Amino acid sequence: MTDMIKMRLDTDRYLIKTENCQGHEIVCREYLAVPYVENPTAPDHQCLNIYVPVAVDGIDVNAEGVPIVFQNKISGYRSYSVTTEQRRTPRKTRFETPVAFPRIGPGEGIPGRMANAGALQFTPLLERCVLVIPGNRGKDNLMGGKWFGKAPAPIIDLKAAIRFLRFNKDRIPGDTEHIISVGSSAGGGMSALLGASGNDPEYEPYLDSVGAAKERDDVFAAVCISPIQDLEHQDMAYEWQYGRLPVHLPEGGVLPPVDREISSSLSELFEEYLNGLGLELRGGYGIFTPENYKEYHYREFIKPSAERWLRSQDKETVRVYLEDRPWIHWDGAEADFDFADYERYLGRIKRLVPFDTFEFSNAENTLFGSEDEPAAHFTEFSIRHCMGDSADISELVKAQRRLINPFTKLREGTGRVAQHWWIRNGAKECGAAVPLLHILDSQLQQKGIEANFRFAWDKGHCAEDDRPEMMQWIRKITGQVNSCS
Ligand code: DHB
């Protein structure tokens, strides 16, 4: 048991800095590179930044009791360090080939996320929230020939950082009962996991080993932008959704041909999985089945997404836009299109198999593994395809995938679940399986939690088109009435 003294935030050790955000000037107190565990194995990564707004555009801000936005920077399950402010540029490890993401406009898809990350980073301060940016260990951490950031290290560090905030609740002006976890893509999956597994005892030994504070690690709300989650079912769900669709790669990109037999086998496994879940959909659609997915997804999410976007544009923009997309019928109030046309426009961008690749070339393979193994298979399907029918996932990897999967936690109910969820995705997502987002939403519904869930029209992975609304939502769920900018 650690004495925790080291973990006390030194409230005098801050810098006063001015940050610019969307044309506004924010003066804030910045606590930089604060260690959040007693026994760090990666001191540069296991530390966080805290930003406390002092004034916005010359008007003083009282940050006592405001929400704390806890914004993880995890991308591709890699480590992040606030000491070097690593940029979220897509890097690859020895075992990965770069994933091709089509560039479809500013702020859209993965490249846009990178470009936007800096501009949006300080939005919470503008909205009078405390902002916390944690560093974390990740799959790329290697020292003395040993890997030390494989699963579940990233989630252990995020939980330890939350515990650190609670440990210092009297020294930080924000309200630690109103911690809003935010993340996108792999970081969105981690945000969902924080939201699904508060105080879950299964993480305790790992938290003890890094010397995390003996505090709660549940969060009040989880913001999940294109969360990549339920990794053991991503391949199946991806092939079920995109298996028969055309390949849409940026110019110059090539994918190996999709093996129809493998794709269909995975797709069938997804149907089995979905049917076994017996989850209820929203709005009277009944149990979520392979048969009602398209109608549900179209009527409740995709059509409204298109309509919101079309309504928000001027007539000329809409005219030009629709000229290129004759499959969309728009009468000025309602949009209508065939789901098959929408699917063709989506296409697939990931190779077969997309996640647990046979040659360890995707981001997820290198999340798994051990100190000595840089990558591992994490699905029975892939390991058996590569190593024969009697091959099995190691006990270590089985434990890793449990600890990293919010669905396991939601299903087993061993953790405290955040009562507020914001789920966003691009309606032109083709890098991850969308049905899994509906499974997340339905699991939450089953627990009586109504997620705020929608799709940004014509945008890809990690797209959001309504961050101001998200901030309003944070004010609403935390009972803050102060409105600004
Ligand atoms: C991320 C993207 C991926 O395509 C993936 O498989 C895992 C993670 C990411 O950007 O975080």
Side-chain angles (χ1 to χ4, degrees):
M1 171 73 188
T2 51
D3 60 19
M4 302 290 159
I5 302 278
K6 271 199 286 181
M7 243 190 288
R8 222 175 254 172
L9 176 72
D10 180 349
T11 48
D12 295 330
R13 259 184 100 121
Y14 61 81
L15 300 172
I16 291 281
K17 286 226 229 161
T18 301
E19 306 287 356
N20 289 301
C21 180
Q22 298 163 43
H24 297 272
E25 188 189 81
I26 307 164
V27 179
C28 48
R29 249 190 285 153
E30 300 190 357
Y31 299 86
L32 300 177
V34 184
Y36 58 71
V37 290
E38 289 269 294
N39 313 319
T41 45
D44 285 351
H45 294 89
Q46 290 165 304
C47 56
L48 50 74
N49 287 353
I50 304 172
Y51 303 84
V52 178
V54 172
V56 175
D57 291 334
I59 300 169
D60 287 352
V61 172
N62 175 4
E64 250 356 282
V66 300
I68 300 176
V69 173
F70 182 84
Q71 166 107 48
N72 82 62
K73 297 281 208 159
I74 296 177
S75 169
Y77 314 99
R78 279 183 291 272
S79 61
Y80 182 76
S81 170
V82 294
T83 62
T84 51
E85 292 270 4
Q86 280 168 358
R87 289 182 56 78
R88 301 190 62 160
T89 39
R91 284 181 292 126
K92 58 189 173 73
T93 66
R94 201 149 53 91
F95 290 86
E96 290 171 33
T97 47
V99 175
F101 280 94
R103 187 183 280 278
I104 45 179
E108 299 164 3
I110 286 275
R113 174 178 66 158
M114 308 304 172
N116 260 348
L120 290 176
Q121 168 152 306
F122 292 114
T123 313
L125 298 173
L126 195 56
E127 302 287 340
R128 280 74 167 166
C129 294
V130 166
L131 170 66
V132 173
I133 300 195
N136 61 276
R137 287 168 298 161
K139 64 182 200 175
D140 51 310
N141 288 141
L142 178 67
M143 201 172 24
K146 300 281 179 202
W147 299 93
F148 61 92
K150 301 291 179 194
I155 186 66
I156 299 307
D157 287 352
L158 298 186
K159 281 175 171 286
I162 301 273
R163 289 174 171 218
F164 169 87
L165 297 176
R166 286 236 165 76
F167 182 79
N168 285 292
K169 63 175 182 292
D170 296 332
R171 289 174 280 272
I172 294 170
D175 184 352
T176 51
E177 291 311 298
H178 284 158
I179 297 176
I180 320 292
S181 157
V182 180
S184 28
S185 197
M190 292 300 133
S191 187
L193 187 55
L194 280 178
S197 69
N199 319 320
D200 188 313
E202 202 175 348
Y203 299 90
E204 208 61 50
Y206 302 89
L207 287 158
D208 275 350
S209 76
V210 292
K214 290 282 178 198
E215 295 284 343
R216 287 169 30 226
D217 54 54
D218 56 283
V219 295
F220 181 71
V223 171
C224 311
I225 316 291
S226 300
I228 301 201
Q229 42 174 3
D230 196 16
L231 301 182
E232 49 268 48
H233 298 106
Q234 279 283 354
D235 286 329
M236 304 172 191
Y238 193 94
E239 290 311 317
W240 186 75
Q241 185 186 0
Y242 304 97
R244 307 214 142 262
L245 303 186
V247 171
H248 284 178
L249 285 177
E251 218 175 302
V254 216
L255 282 191
V258 170
D259 182 317
R260 290 268 149 251
E261 208 178 308
I262 294 178
S263 177
S264 305
S265 304
L266 282 164
S267 173
E268 279 167 28
L269 286 172
F270 180 69
E271 299 208 345
E272 241 173 71
Y273 172 57
L274 184 57
N275 284 328
L277 291 174
L279 289 165
E280 188 92 25
L281 290 171
R282 294 165 178 238
Y285 285 78
I287 298 294
F288 186 3
T289 66
E291 289 71 41
N292 60 12
Y293 169 76
K294 287 185 182 177
E295 179 69 8
Y296 173 71
H297 185 49
Y298 172 68
R299 294 242 162 257
E300 303 298 321
F301 294 89
I302 293 306
K303 175 176 149 75
S305 164
E307 287 168 351
R308 259 191 317 273
W309 186 83
L310 288 162
R311 250 182 252 126
S312 71
Q313 303 298 311
D314 62 60
K315 271 200 173 129
E316 184 54 14
T317 308
V318 169
R319 189 189 64 74
V320 173
Y321 179 82
L322 292 177
E323 239 173 40
D324 281 349
R325 291 160 186 82
W327 50 277
I328 303 176
H329 308 285
W330 168 244
D331 65 8
E334 212 183 315
D336 194 20
F337 43 87
D338 274 349
F339 201 78
D341 287 325
Y342 166 69
E343 287 187 308
R344 268 190 291 278
Y345 133 99
L346 281 186
R348 80 179 286 153
I349 56 161
K350 281 193 166 168
R351 60 163 63 194
L352 180 89
V353 293
F355 290 86
D356 189 359
T357 53
F358 298 152
E359 61 297 289
F360 289 164
S361 61
N362 194 41
E364 279 73 13
N365 290 119
T366 42
L367 169 64
F368 297 96
S370 64
E371 276 189 353
D372 299 311
E373 276 176 319
H377 282 303
F378 53 94
T379 64
E380 280 72 11
F381 187 92
S382 287
I383 202 168
R384 286 178 191 154
H385 179 90
C386 297
M387 300 173 69
D389 285 349
S390 59
D392 204 357
I393 303 298
S394 71
E395 290 307 312
L396 171 71
V397 173
K398 279 185 188 160
Q400 288 177 318
R401 69 180 187 187
R402 269 184 62 72
L403 288 161
I404 218 79
N405 191 344
F407 289 11
T408 315
K409 296 294 158 191
L410 288 172
R411 196 168 50 243
E412 294 177 1
T414 44
R416 180 156 165 186
V417 179
Q419 293 301 296
H420 304 277
W421 292 68
W422 178 271
I423 305 169
R424 288 294 181 272
N425 202 45
K428 198 177 182 339
E429 170 71 88
C430 31
V434 172
L436 295 178
L437 298 183
H438 289 299
I439 293 179
L440 172 64
D441 182 49
S442 298
Q443 282 179 310
L444 294 170
Q445 289 275 332
Q446 210 169 40
K447 293 184 181 297
I449 298 166
E450 178 95 13
N452 188 315
F453 177 23
R454 69 188 215 193
F455 288 75
W457 181 246
D458 219 2
K459 296 191 167 70
H461 190 59
C462 288
E464 349 160 35
D465 56 2
D466 54 359
R467 216 164 241 230
E469 270 182 54
M470 178 185 114
M471 293 311 303
Q472 265 174 30
W473 172 79
I474 290 176
R475 278 202 292 272
K476 187 167 150 234
I477 59 173
T478 56
Q480 302 270 320
V481 284
N482 61 328
S483 174
C484 52
S485 58

